Amino acid sequence: MTEKRQFRAIKGTRDILPPDSALWNWFEQTARETFERYGFRDIRTPILEETELFARSIGVETDVVSKEMYTFLDPPRDLDPIPRMLEKGSGSSVKLSDLAPRDVISLRPEGTASVCRAYVEHGMHTLPGNVKLYYIGPMFRRERPQKGRYRQFYQIGAEVLGQSDAPAIDAEVIEMLLTFFRRAGLTGTALSINSIGDKNCRPQYVERLREELRAVKDSLREDSQRRIETNPLRVLDSKLPEEQPIIEKLPRISDHLCADCRDHFAKLKDELKLRGVAYEENWRLVRGLDYYTRTTFEVTATGLGSQNAVCGGGRYDGLVELLGGPPTKGIGFAIGSDRAFLSIQEGKDIPHLPGLAVFVAWMGAKSYPTAVAIARKLRDCGLSVELPPEEMKFKKSLGLADKLGARYALIIGEDEVASQTFTLKRLSDADQKKLSENDLLEYLESERRS
Ligand code: HAM
């Protein structure tokens, strides 16, 4: 016989157990309700996609694509990391050029690329008005796990796709996000916004930035030095203390926006004020994914340490076209549920969720059929009911009801079955009532609604 072995969840992944899972459901349900009030509808895309979808959308040079994706071949073969596969002369036993793109697949690291792929695949541009979609589900990034950073984490995202890039859309999306956070009890949030320009003005800015960075290259650390050539905007993301004084002196995109982008950003700020949304401008908010244009934003929350971004988002006006669709504007965000949740728990403002309502304490084989029937009727009324599968002694039964946190114990013995009246005991104060079946159902139902 093989030796026994205990298994643990893989590093960076975790189980969400009751009662936390009930809070997660409530959190996600609150998002659904809020987003649907703003006209968004649920979309469910696959967790597996072609790797190339993410490489094209998010960018090959980004950390997410170059270091963090779970990628494999289908059917399985030896596989090098994506950047090595892209390098000429890689020692890999499999060359990217030898493979059909469909053979290389990844676990999704985010949802925007999949939503845009689905938008193109299903010709959703022919739908009337803007297409407003939201999604809830797990994402996968092979990052170094720490508080608030996992390898399997959960996002709640929303995207607006269509012909218009009106700043009112950006502002409404942000208003919806903050409305959700308020309803979910997430306090201490702060919104930062920026505009990173578009294809008309950003390339000149990036070149200017690159030149300035080359001049100070020797004072920068290795990561930033590399980014000067691959993606100089990402240098602005650096958190290294020694790089801060250098970054502060770099040219700012706000001084290099074209007239259209400047106007778009000014209107966005007016629209946010109109909605009473407080924000801070942060010229260094460039975001780590390549598809962004113009508006970028992030929300931070308290109680999270260094991983304090609970939501990131922005505009991605060229992405649908890049994925073979018609010219389309897009904006959206994704909330990191794990982090939002940590922050809510840190704030101790945890909502009280209804638990077990009734424990059916049945005794005697003759009372069992009645107990089964009443348990079903109570469940039909929407109550959470525990029916012990085996007979228990009265004291043990009430003890378990108490430990499970039931609000009531319903006592069904052979006497109760004979008289068709049942004893309902409220466990918080031991108050008892004798009720007929009808009165019992009516009483518990009205209690559930109150
Ligand atoms: P992102 O900034 O990469 O953007 O991720 C959004 C949020 O997901 C982050 O602010 C964070 O709360 C959470 N998150 C990211 N990585 C992890 C992790 N390893 N562990 C826990 N939480 C994490 C996007 O994903 C874009 N798709 C957002 C977007 C939608 N932009 C436009 N539309």
Side-chain angles (χ1 to χ4, degrees):
M1 212 178 91
T2 46
E3 217 179 299
K4 282 188 188 168
R5 201 196 130 197
Q6 250 195 19
F7 292 89
R8 298 179 70 86
I10 289 168
K11 189 175 168 192
T13 73
R14 67 219 169 100
D15 303 304
I16 296 164
L17 307 175
D20 282 0
S21 50
L23 287 168
W24 274 75
N25 287 338
W26 164 84
F27 185 71
E28 292 175 350
Q29 188 52 28
T30 307
R32 288 178 193 285
E33 281 168 22
T34 310
F35 296 176
E36 296 206 0
R37 287 182 196 178
Y38 282 81
F40 284 70
R41 299 291 174 257
D42 193 8
I43 180 167
R44 299 177 190 217
T45 61
I47 283 169
L48 287 169
E49 296 269 7
E50 273 183 44
T51 302
E52 198 180 333
L53 171 69
F54 301 119
R56 276 189 184 222
S57 314
I58 301 169
V60 178
E61 294 294 345
T62 57
D63 286 351
V64 172
V65 170
S66 68
K67 299 185 196 157
E68 298 168 2
M69 282 210 297
Y70 285 95
T71 297
F72 38 95
L73 294 183
D74 183 21
R77 273 161 280 174
D78 257 2
L79 182 60
D80 258 4
I82 301 296
R84 273 190 36 213
M85 286 173 50
L86 295 172
E87 269 170 30
K88 272 208 191 115
S90 137
S92 168
S93 53
V94 180
K95 301 271 185 309
L96 198 60
S97 53
D98 298 342
L99 300 165
R102 285 180 172 278
D103 291 350
V104 191
I105 58 179
S106 293
L107 292 178
R108 64 182 183 190
E110 60 107 53
T112 310
S114 302
V115 169
C116 291
R117 195 251 325 124
Y119 181 86
V120 176
E121 183 170 340
H122 303 288
M124 291 169 92
H125 62 280
T126 57
L127 296 173
N130 283 323
V131 175
K132 300 179 182 182
L133 301 164
Y134 71 85
Y135 49 91
I136 299 179
M139 307 292 162
F140 303 84
R141 296 184 194 177
R142 202 173 184 288
E143 297 194 78
R144 200 162 41 78
Q146 64 181 88
K147 182 181 172 191
R149 194 206 266 161
Y150 309 99
R151 291 181 169 179
Q152 175 171 340
F153 59 99
Y154 294 82
Q155 282 190 345
I156 301 178
E159 316 287 352
V160 183
L161 293 152
Q163 289 313 302
S164 169
D165 61 359
I169 301 174
D170 309 32
E172 194 179 70
V173 160
I174 293 173
E175 177 195 304
M176 175 174 90
L177 167 68
L178 297 177
T179 302
F180 164 56
F181 280 159
R182 223 174 9 255
R183 290 187 69 202
L186 190 73
T187 51
T189 55
L191 166 71
S192 306
I193 60 167
N194 191 23
S195 173
I196 57 166
D198 64 6
K199 60 179 187 303
N200 299 319
C201 53
R202 194 173 37 202
Q204 285 99 301
Y205 169 71
V206 169
E207 235 4 88
R208 195 50 225 288
L209 189 64
R210 187 174 275 135
E211 274 164 30
E212 300 272 337
L213 284 168
R214 279 181 185 144
V216 293
K217 183 171 177 182
D218 293 343
S219 335
L220 297 170
R221 297 291 288 274
E222 198 185 322
D223 266 353
S224 294
Q225 288 192 353
R226 187 172 36 83
R227 286 178 175 148
I228 296 177
E229 302 311 321
T230 58
N231 189 352
L233 280 178
R234 289 301 311 287
V235 177
L236 306 182
D237 259 353
S238 161
K239 305 272 186 306
L240 295 174
E242 62 271 32
E243 293 188 341
Q244 302 311 306
I246 304 166
I247 294 171
E248 276 309 307
K249 289 194 209 107
L250 292 170
R252 302 184 171 207
I253 182 116
S254 48
D255 299 326
H256 295 81
L257 293 177
C258 61
D260 284 349
C261 287
R262 221 174 21 245
D263 184 51
H264 191 273
F265 194 39
K267 287 195 175 125
L268 166 64
K269 289 184 269 184
D270 289 344
E271 286 279 354
L272 289 174
K273 284 182 198 135
L274 189 68
R275 291 165 164 80
V277 172
Y279 61 83
E280 262 181 28
E281 283 182 58
N282 175 3
W283 72 276
R284 289 173 57 178
L285 183 62
V286 290
R287 312 264 306 121
L289 317 171
D290 280 359
Y291 49 61
Y292 290 112
T293 54
R294 292 191 170 167
T295 311
T296 54
F297 58 95
E298 229 165 63
V299 177
T300 56
T302 48
L304 291 169
S306 62
Q307 305 301 316
N308 66 347
V310 284
C311 176
R315 219 166 235 297
Y316 46 88
D317 291 340
L319 183 54
V320 167
E321 216 174 340
L322 189 70
L323 299 178
T328 304
K329 316 286 186 194
I331 180 161
F333 62 76
I335 297 160
S337 301
D338 309 76
R339 290 186 194 174
F341 225 73
L342 278 174
S343 182
I344 292 173
Q345 283 173 324
E346 205 69 32
K348 307 278 181 287
D349 193 13
I350 302 170
H352 179 75
L353 296 172
L356 183 60
V358 182
F359 185 97
V360 182
W362 62 273
M363 278 144 291
K366 284 197 189 136
S367 61
Y368 183 59
T370 308
V372 170
I374 291 197
R376 205 190 51 231
K377 285 178 191 162
L378 292 173
R379 287 170 175 149
D380 283 348
C381 295
L383 291 153
S384 164
V385 175
E386 182 69 19
L387 175 71
E390 284 164 320
E391 187 173 0
M392 293 170 80
K393 294 243 160 60
F394 184 64
K395 246 183 115 179
K396 218 174 153 196
S397 199
L398 286 200
L400 181 59
D402 204 39
K403 282 189 200 143
L404 291 177
R407 289 200 297 290
Y408 294 96
L410 177 64
I411 297 153
I412 308 181
E414 290 178 4
D415 290 350
E416 278 82 1
V417 174
S419 66
Q420 285 295 302
T421 50
F422 305 98
T423 305
L424 187 70
K425 180 170 178 169
R426 190 160 58 209
L427 294 172
S428 57
D429 57 4
D431 176 59
Q432 293 203 161
K433 283 183 179 40
K434 277 196 175 295
L435 299 165
S436 68
E437 186 181 309
N438 272 352
D439 290 349
L440 173 76
L441 293 178
E442 214 164 89
Y443 175 80
L444 284 173
E445 195 162 9
S446 70
E447 203 254 21
R448 184 182 66 86
R449 278 200 239 103
S450 65

